[in-house]
């Protein structure tokens, strides 16, 4: 894309979860950090659960994410996959000639800048193996200190923002105190608001994945 063009660059944010309210929240966060000249448009999966909490659901979401990307490719300049396991991202890159990023890979790349050791705090223990595999894919295994999980059922925590924030704060503390993390990612698109609220509470960087992905896709689209 020509960075001097008057047309806004259109970034498609795909929510692999099927909850429209989550898409609206993530788009609002993305717009708040997007560079001038960029517009963020959301698209929501319809065949996935309202919140993906298992490896099986994550894998099942990939085909629909790819379908959404193909359906919108003509009107988009870049794509963000807004679930932490980046479902469908590899397929999008194989099939579509547009810059595409995932919030999982983007946040890990940002967290590991300068060789910084990083951990992940999140709510979904059934996704542990998927999260643990991502640093290997990105060549960041030596920086990764592991993932810690908030205490409580993921769906119940999402219904109580104060409890969610407190539970994630506990997981962040463990990442720092026990694992030696020098930065902690809040691992999940639906956790976007909690991630921003947690950032001022810690002296180490708390990485919010949606802003990480926005910054990365802006760089790729304007390159």
């Amino acid at each position: 894309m020509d960075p001097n063009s008057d047309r806004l660059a259109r970034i498609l944010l795909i929510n692999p979860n099927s909850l429209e309210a989550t898409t609206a929240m993530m788009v609002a966060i993305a717009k708040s950090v997007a560079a001038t000249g960029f517009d963020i448009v959301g698209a929501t999966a319809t065949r996935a659960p309202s919140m993906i909490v298992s490896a099986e659901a994550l894998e099942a979401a990939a085909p629909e994410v790819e379908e959404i990307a193909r359906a919108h490719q003509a009107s988009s300049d870049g794509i963000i996959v807004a679930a932490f396991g980046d479902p469908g991202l590899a397929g999008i890159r194989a099939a579509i000639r547009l810059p595409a990023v995932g919030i999982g890979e983007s946040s890990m790349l940002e967290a590991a800048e300068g060789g910084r050791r990083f951990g992940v705090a999140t709510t979904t223990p059934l996704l542990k193996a998927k999260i643990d595999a991502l640093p290997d894919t990105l060549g960041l295994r030596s920086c990764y200190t592991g993932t810690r999980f908030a205490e409580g059922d993921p769906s119940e925590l999402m219904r109580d923002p104060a409890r969610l924030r407190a539970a994630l704060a506990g997981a962040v503390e463990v990442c720092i105190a026990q694992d030696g993390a020098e930065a902690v990612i809040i691992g999940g698109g639906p956790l976007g608001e909690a991630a921003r609220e947690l950032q001022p509470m810690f002296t180490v960087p708390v990485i919010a994945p949606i802003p990480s992905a926005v910054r990365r896709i802006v760089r790729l689209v304007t390159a």
Side-chain angles (χ1 to χ4, degrees):
M1 179 195 165
D2 180 0
N4 298 313
S5 170
D6 291 333
R7 183 180 71 83
L8 291 178
R10 184 183 178 98
I11 304 301
L12 176 68
L13 183 150
I14 303 174
N15 177 15
N17 308 277
S18 63
L19 193 62
E20 291 277 2
T22 301
T23 307
M25 176 268 290
M26 294 193 291
V27 167
I29 291 173
K31 285 185 172 183
S32 74
V33 297
T36 301
F38 281 79
D39 185 31
I40 313 290
V41 177
T44 309
T46 60
R47 303 198 298 265
S50 60
M51 182 179 177
I52 294 171
V53 299
S54 71
E56 293 77 15
L58 191 72
E59 291 174 5
E64 186 177 11
V65 170
E66 295 171 30
E67 289 169 19
I68 293 170
R70 286 194 296 271
H72 290 81
Q73 62 179 310
S75 60
S76 302
D77 296 290
I79 297 169
I80 296 172
V81 177
F84 198 68
D86 301 339
L89 181 60
I92 291 170
R93 286 176 170 160
I96 297 174
R97 299 180 69 177
L98 284 176
V101 304
I103 64 170
E105 63 164 17
S106 298
S107 58
M108 287 192 177
L109 290 167
E110 181 174 317
E113 286 177 358
R116 186 166 54 186
R117 288 168 54 78
F118 70 91
V120 175
T122 189
T123 60
T124 49
L126 294 177
L127 290 174
K128 182 179 187 303
K130 291 288 188 183
I131 297 170
D132 287 346
L134 192 50
D136 288 331
T137 303
L138 298 170
L140 300 176
R141 170 57 58 181
S142 62
C143 298
Y144 178 55
T145 64
T147 294
R148 297 291 184 163
F149 298 97
E151 294 186 5
D153 176 82
S155 298
E156 291 181 7
L157 289 173
M158 287 300 298
R159 289 192 287 269
D160 188 338
R163 186 179 165 208
L164 172 64
R165 184 171 59 249
L168 282 169
V172 173
E173 288 279 10
V174 176
C175 286
I176 298 167
Q178 295 188 27
D179 302 336
E182 298 165 316
V184 181
I185 300 164
I186 303 302
L191 306 179
E193 289 182 337
R196 297 210 297 187
E197 293 167 355
L198 288 164
Q199 285 174 328
M201 297 170 57
F202 296 92
T203 54
V204 308
V206 173
I207 308 294
I210 295 167
S212 295
V214 172
R215 287 188 284 269
R216 188 154 173 254
I217 197 67
V218 166
R219 289 195 298 270
L220 292 173
V221 169
T222 55

